Amino acid sequence: MRDNDALDNNPHVSRSALEAIHSQVFGWALSRCDFDHATAEDLMQQAYVELLSGNARFNNESSLKTFVFSVVQNLARSRFRRISSRLRLIRQYRPDRVTEPVEPVADDGVWHAVRALPARQRDIIELVFCRELTIEQASAVMGVSIGTGRVHYERAKKALRSRLQHYAEEK
Amino acid sequence: MMSELDEALREQLLHAWRQNAGRQVPSFDQSWQAAAKRHAAGRRNYRRFAAVAAITAAIVITMNVQLPAEDPFIEVADLLETTYWVAPSDVLLPHREFDIYQDMPVIFESTKPAGGTLL
């Protein structure tokens, strides 16, 4: 069935469905770009452009949320692949021009512990805990098998618990 | 289904997320309008590019049609020029660049039989 506000080039995607997951998509985009708000907004808009143009075509094979998250993930990957190759050149020839990314204010141990996790573990824990995806959906977004996703998830939880315990003891 | 331990961890994480990063979500309408603008601009650029490409192709085709056809005949002199070749070792010869077809040394002058055999 086609919604009234379905997109011309993406008949299975409606504006209202996107609006419902907007804040979640922004959160995911935000964590894709080191919590830079402007970049995250740009990334999210680019994902919407891909959906509007039909370059990213949703065909109901997964949930819309999983699909849009995958689009954001892929856009972020291709964007940062380009940026990192440029950065490598700048680091090589003009090291004085490179500025390190600004970390968000870590006012508690939980945030610090999450940020200290390896990238894959951090991603899956964010997708499952904060974005309310299943491990299967999160694995699809990350482009890994469910088995690999489960391993990352279990390791991330274990690492988080031990870090939090360590933090609580320190406090 | 999450265990109680997982649920507690999740609650902690969500709280931390809201505290640190999830505070300023831009409005959907704003983001959607900006995306729609970018999409429209992209389509406009694509159309412009397609128009320029079509015009260029039309110009190239028209010019090719109007150009006089190349002469199908080849001048003999030009052909000989392309086949002219000088051996690198010619410089070692006492008489350089002799024509082997014209300056063929005469070895056997006669075909008259002499003593039952050809000379």
Side-chain angles (χ1 to χ4, degrees), chain B residues 27 36 66:
Chain B
S27 91
Q66 285 175 352

Side-chain angles (χ1 to χ4, degrees), chain A residues 52-69:
Chain A
L52 277 166
S53 64
N55 286 343
R57 189 172 279 269
F58 178 59
N59 47 14
N60 258 342
E61 278 176 12
S62 59
S63 73
L64 178 65
K65 192 166 153 183
T66 311
F67 180 74
V68 179
F69 275 38

Side-chain angles (χ1 to χ4, degrees), chain B:
Chain B
M1 193 70 188
M2 279 190 192
S3 69
E4 267 182 41
L5 213 59
D6 288 355
E7 197 60 52
L9 192 60
R10 180 174 170 267
E11 281 303 316
Q12 272 182 300
L13 270 181
L14 271 176
H15 179 72
W17 165 259
R18 287 189 198 111
Q19 288 286 310
N20 287 284
R23 281 172 294 190
Q24 296 165 328
V25 179
S27 91
F28 175 76
D29 287 331
Q30 233 175 350
S31 303
W32 189 253
Q33 275 167 14
K37 260 186 204 168
R38 278 164 75 164
H39 172 54
R43 282 173 70 178
R44 261 200 311 278
N45 287 344
Y46 175 76
R47 279 187 197 142
R48 259 182 224 152
F49 175 76
V52 169
I55 290 166
T56 311
I59 290 169
V60 168
I61 290 167
T62 317
M63 282 179 75
N64 269 338
V65 167
Q66 285 175 352
L67 277 177
E70 274 183 33
D71 191 1
F73 299 106
I74 301 165
E75 292 289 329
V76 177
D78 292 343
L79 188 68
L80 285 176
E81 206 132 284
T82 57
T83 56
Y84 182 75
W85 177 78
V86 176
S89 56
D90 267 9
V91 289
L92 302 171
L93 294 170
H95 304 291
R96 288 183 60 196
E97 296 180 1
F98 70 96
D99 190 334
I100 58 167
Y101 299 109
Q102 287 177 16
D103 305 342
M104 181 71 84
V106 182
I107 302 166
F108 301 108
E109 278 269 271
S110 171
T111 53
K112 286 176 189 168
T117 56
L118 284 173
L119 187 66

Side-chain angles (χ1 to χ4, degrees), chain A:
Chain A
M1 207 178 88
R2 199 187 148 116
D3 288 336
N4 285 337
D5 58 350
L7 310 185
D8 290 338
N9 298 320
N10 241 326
H12 296 295
V13 182
S14 66
R15 190 176 184 266
S16 50
L18 286 173
E19 190 170 5
I21 57 169
H22 175 70
S23 63
Q24 300 266 23
V25 175
F26 181 69
W28 180 237
L30 202 54
S31 75
R32 296 304 81 207
C33 50
D34 245 342
F35 298 92
D36 184 286
H37 271 250
T39 314
E41 212 173 325
D42 190 56
L43 198 60
M44 188 177 60
Q45 280 175 20
Q46 188 58 43
Y48 289 161
V49 171
E50 297 296 316
L51 290 169
L52 277 166
S53 64
N55 286 343
R57 189 172 279 269
F58 178 59
N59 47 14
N60 258 342
E61 278 176 12
S62 59
S63 73
L64 178 65
K65 192 166 153 183
T66 311
F67 180 74
V68 179
F69 275 38
S70 304
V71 173
V72 171
Q73 172 84 337
N74 291 337
L75 285 173
R77 266 193 199 144
S78 58
R79 177 179 290 204
F80 292 113
R81 202 173 292 139
R82 283 199 303 270
I83 290 174
S84 68
S85 59
R86 278 180 210 155
L87 260 178
R88 220 175 296 132
L89 282 174
I90 296 171
R91 274 209 180 96
Q92 197 174 345
Y93 297 107
R94 296 292 302 270
D96 54 309
R97 297 285 292 270
V98 180
T99 53
E100 293 304 320
V102 182
E103 291 278 320
V105 186
D107 57 357
D108 56 23
V110 184
W111 192 249
H112 196 72
V114 172
R115 300 277 295 154
L117 287 174
R120 289 266 167 102
Q121 293 182 17
R122 193 171 60 222
D123 287 352
I124 200 149
I125 214 82
E126 184 192 336
L127 287 168
V128 176
F129 281 179
C130 303
R131 314 273 154 248
E132 293 161 357
L133 294 183
T134 62
I135 298 174
E136 194 180 345
Q137 290 170 328
S139 306
V141 170
M142 290 164 62
V144 297
S145 69
I146 306 166
T148 309
R150 277 209 185 96
V151 171
H152 285 312
Y153 178 66
E154 291 303 327
R155 283 184 186 160
K157 280 196 302 185
K158 201 174 161 188
L160 257 183
R161 280 203 191 100
S162 87
R163 276 167 214 255
L164 287 175
Q165 200 175 355
H166 181 71
Y167 177 74
E169 281 167 9
E170 264 185 3
K171 220 174 177 183

